Amino acid sequence: MNRRSGVLEFAVLGLLRESPMHGYELRKRLNTSLGVFRAFSYGTLYPCLKGLVANGWLVEETSGAPEGVPAAALTGRRAKIVYRLTAAGKEHFEELLTHSGPDAWEDEHFGVRFAFFGQTSRDVRMRVLEGRRSRLEERLEKMRTSLARTRERLDDYTLELQRHGMESVEREVRWLNELIESERAGRDQRAPGPTERDKNTPSGDADGLPRHRGGSRPDPSE
């Protein structure tokens, strides 16, 4: 499985954990809620869904049919196929939520992982945030070294673009520092709902997001 398809599978399972959806709804949520999927097609989504069904992590049902009735058992051109997470799919997604290795720190995967931090245990959130910060600090050091070596050969516009890139990375590092500080302190947490939060959060941990102090948060998917 390549990295791109793995990120998409993770996102689909996470969204369907909230509620069953048909393909159009899923595509819309992926486009609007998860920035990394702003530009992708049905031709990418449907093979992913079929693969998840084949693995037993999703089932296909026809909208309006009794629960548990597979789509193949009904006919009708206009019937909408609804995808629902199975118990095995939920277990698989919760296992994926525990992963905190280097893939979770990369640009494409981090934004998606962050979108599901509300369902992720605090210790895993900390490992992902610290790993992401470490990765960005390494990138920032390389950017500074490269800029110092090539500054004299760059025109004003290219130099300004390099500076802009560095400032973007520095801003995200500051944002990550705030998040890590808040996770450690366990402050500014949202109170869970009386039923849904307990049901949907495997760890029972509340969200540790800080109140932002000025400016706008960087988009983790950028």
Side-chain angles (χ1 to χ4, degrees):
M1 179 190 302
N2 61 47
R3 181 178 296 174
R4 177 76 177 184
S5 63
V7 173
L8 180 57
E9 288 187 3
F10 176 83
V12 167
L13 292 172
L15 290 175
L16 290 176
R17 192 177 189 276
E18 299 173 5
S19 65
M21 300 182 204
H22 55 71
Y24 176 78
E25 289 174 314
L26 267 172
R27 184 171 181 265
K28 186 176 180 180
R29 287 290 304 279
L30 289 165
N31 281 334
T32 58
S33 302
L34 305 177
V36 70
F37 299 112
R38 286 186 184 121
F40 85 112
S41 66
Y42 284 109
T44 302
L45 176 59
Y46 280 102
C48 171
L49 290 170
K50 294 298 182 184
L52 294 173
V53 170
N55 285 332
W57 297 328
L58 302 181
V59 292
E60 295 177 327
E61 298 173 342
T62 300
S63 180
E67 185 175 350
V69 176
L74 299 173
T75 59
R77 292 184 179 179
R78 300 189 178 217
K80 289 183 178 179
I81 305 302
V82 174
Y83 296 91
R84 180 172 59 82
L85 199 65
T86 64
K90 179 180 178 182
E91 182 178 347
H92 179 62
F93 178 68
E94 290 178 357
E95 179 185 348
L96 293 176
L97 284 175
T98 67
H99 294 178
S100 58
D103 278 354
W105 313 340
E106 301 297 340
D107 293 348
E108 190 172 71
H109 206 160
F110 175 73
V112 179
R113 284 302 305 267
F114 190 84
F116 295 101
F117 262 21
Q119 302 178 47
T120 305
S121 64
R122 185 176 299 158
D123 61 330
V124 174
R125 292 197 302 257
M126 280 292 294
R127 289 197 296 272
V128 173
L129 290 171
E130 289 175 339
R132 174 67 175 173
R133 181 176 63 180
S134 175
R135 182 59 45 87
L136 289 181
E137 287 174 341
E138 292 174 2
R139 184 182 303 173
L140 191 58
E141 183 60 31
K142 290 179 181 178
M143 293 173 75
R144 286 169 175 161
T145 300
S146 175
L147 183 60
R149 290 175 178 172
T150 61
R151 181 187 299 272
E152 298 302 323
R153 301 195 299 270
L154 299 177
D155 61 60
D156 290 344
Y157 294 102
T158 304
L159 184 61
E160 194 61 32
L161 185 62
Q162 294 281 341
R163 287 173 176 162
H164 174 69
M166 287 179 54
E167 288 172 1
S168 296
V169 177
E170 289 169 344
R171 186 168 62 250
E172 186 172 346
V173 170
R174 290 194 298 269
W175 174 67
L176 289 167
N177 285 336
E178 287 188 8
L179 291 172
I180 290 168
E181 179 186 350
S182 293
E183 291 286 351
R184 284 176 176 160
R187 65 172 182 261
D188 295 329
Q189 298 175 359
R190 300 176 190 168
T195 56
E196 284 301 312
R197 191 66 174 199
D198 292 340
K199 179 176 69 175
N200 291 334
T201 306
S203 66
D205 282 340
D207 194 343
L209 289 174
R211 291 191 178 93
H212 193 58
R213 299 188 292 273
S216 59
R217 291 193 186 98
D219 183 346
S221 66
E222 291 180 351

